[in-house]
Structure formats: structure tokens, C-alpha cells
Amino acid sequence: DTGVSQNPRHKITKRGQNVTFRCDPISEHNRLYWYRQTLGQGPEFLTYFQNEAQLEKSRLLSDRFSAERPKGSFSTLEIQRTEQGDSAMYLCASRARDSNTGELFFGEGSRLTVL
Amino acid sequence: AQSVTQLDSQVPVFEEAPVELRCNYSSSVSVYLFWYVQYPNQGLQLLLKYLSGSTLVKGINGFEAEFNKSQTSFHLRKPSVHISDTAEYFCAVSDTGRRALTFGSGTRLQVQP
């Protein structure tokens, strides 16, 4: 399978704990995006990487959130000191180097439940 | 800034009936428009996209959409729905320079037998 891969698919944690999600984009896609989706809402943009550079961050990305893409391949999204309001689906997407249309390819998401 | 409004949160329809899911967008610049579908516990899958040219765009699974610049709309249609079309549908916009998509809040299509 050469699609976007995310893990873990589900994570249940207690408030105050740290969690980390991983995203492996489609091979050779140089652009990688993180979105958050809460129940009944559309995906909300969090951050974007081109290769290893983080080029854009949403105001939704508080200082408890950090994303990295150290070698321009996989990416991690860490949430520190989780709060119940962090419960959501975290979606990763990638985009081809030569795409100028904005089309994104999504993974199946990582669902976070904070108790 | 861009925004997308999906006017209906839920659309119930009987199998084999036609359906239209409405989408309006706001942007000060030229845009690309997309419809994505999300089945339960899955990621988003592209249905169709409008980049330029013909305003009627055909996508997968028999869906089509029409871009109307004067009304800033991009409504999704299917002449005859199936039970398997039950899913959440998201309209999204990207301007020709920005890198990320802006999504609407989604429309849940519920196809009943």
C-alpha cells in the first residue's frame, strides 16, 4: 500500500499526558499537512511542511502542540499536557511535488480520546 | 481569507432519487474547488475537482459538480443515489497560491431504502 499511513489509529489517554502521532506520506510527496477534525465538523488546518521546513502554522496550533518532519519524509505531531478539548481525529495529508492544484491525499487518521 | 459554507448539515434521500449537496465559497482571489467524501472511520477521498475550463466537472461514483463563479457556488449532484453513497461529504477551496485546503463543515448524506 503506497497511501498515506498514520499510527496509531486510536489513542486513549488521561488528561495531562503527552501523546505523539506519526504520519508517513506517499513516497516522494514533498508536502505534508496536519489537520484536526472534531465530531460533526470539517477538517481544520493545523500546519504544513515542505520537505523538512515547517512553512505555515494555524492559530489552532497552541504551544502544547509541536510538529516535526526531520528528514523530509515522515512527520510526528506531539501534544503535551493533553486536555479534553484535544479529543479529535488528527488527519495527515500529502501532496505531490509537481502538483499546483492543491489536491491532497489523506491518511485514515489518528483518533485521540482524552479522559 | 477563504471560507466555505455547506448549507445543509444532513440530507436524507431515498435510494435511486437524485440529490444535490450545496456549497458556497468566499475568496478574494481565483480558486480551485474540491469535493471529498469520508466514509465512517476512514480518511477523506477525492470525488472531483475544478481547476479551470469547463464549469461542469465529473467525478468518481457518478457524481458531478458545477462551478458558478457569479454565485460563488460549487454544488455536488448525482442523478440516482445508492445505499453505498451514505457518507459525509466535504467541499473545500484552495486559492491558486495558498498551500492548504479550507474545508466546509460537511454534509451527511443518508440514503434510505
Side-chain angles (χ1 to χ4, degrees), chain A residues 13 17 31 42 52 57 79 88:
Chain A
T13 190
Q17 298 295 305
R31 303 177 193 193
E52 65 275 9
K57 291 196 294 186
I79 308 174

Side-chain angles (χ1 to χ4, degrees), chain B residues 84-106:
Chain B
S84 59
D85 292 323
T86 295
E88 191 87 21
Y89 291 80
F90 294 97
C91 182
V93 62
S94 170
D95 70 42
T96 55
R98 190 168 178 262
R99 302 171 182 90
L101 296 181
T102 300
F103 285 87
S105 57

Side-chain angles (χ1 to χ4, degrees), chain A residues 9 33 35 37 40 42-43 45 48 56 91 95 100-104 106-108, chain B residues 32 34 36 38 41-44 46 49 51 90 94 98-101 103-105:
Chain A
R9 293 289 312 280
Y33 302 77
Y35 281 81
Q37 185 180 20
F45 170 74
Y48 151 71
E56 189 175 345
L91 295 167
R95 179 176 149 193
N100 60 357
T101 66
E103 178 180 349
L104 302 183
F106 282 85
E108 295 191 332
Chain B
Y32 300 136
F34 304 81
Y36 280 83
Q38 186 177 35
N41 298 315
Q42 294 188 24
L44 280 74
L46 182 68
K49 59 188 176 186
L51 306 179
F90 294 97
S94 170
R98 190 168 178 262
R99 302 171 182 90
L101 296 181
F103 285 87
S105 57

Side-chain angles (χ1 to χ4, degrees), chain A residues 6-8 11 13 16-23 32 34-36 46-47 49 54 57 60-70 74-83 86 90-92 110 112 114:
Chain A
Q6 293 188 246
N7 66 80
K11 178 72 175 179
T13 190
Q17 298 295 305
N18 300 343
V19 297
T20 299
F21 301 113
R22 175 177 168 129
C23 172
L32 186 148
W34 285 99
Y35 281 81
R36 182 176 71 184
L46 291 178
T47 190
F49 290 85
Q54 189 173 19
K57 291 196 294 186
L60 293 174
L61 210 66
S62 76
D63 56 6
R64 295 185 298 105
F65 288 69
S66 62
E68 295 182 342
R69 195 182 182 199
F74 74 91
S75 175
T76 58
L77 176 69
E78 181 183 17
I79 308 174
Q80 295 182 326
R81 304 181 304 281
T82 52
E83 302 173 356
D86 297 330
Y90 291 86
L91 295 167
C92 177
S110 293
L112 173 64
V114 181

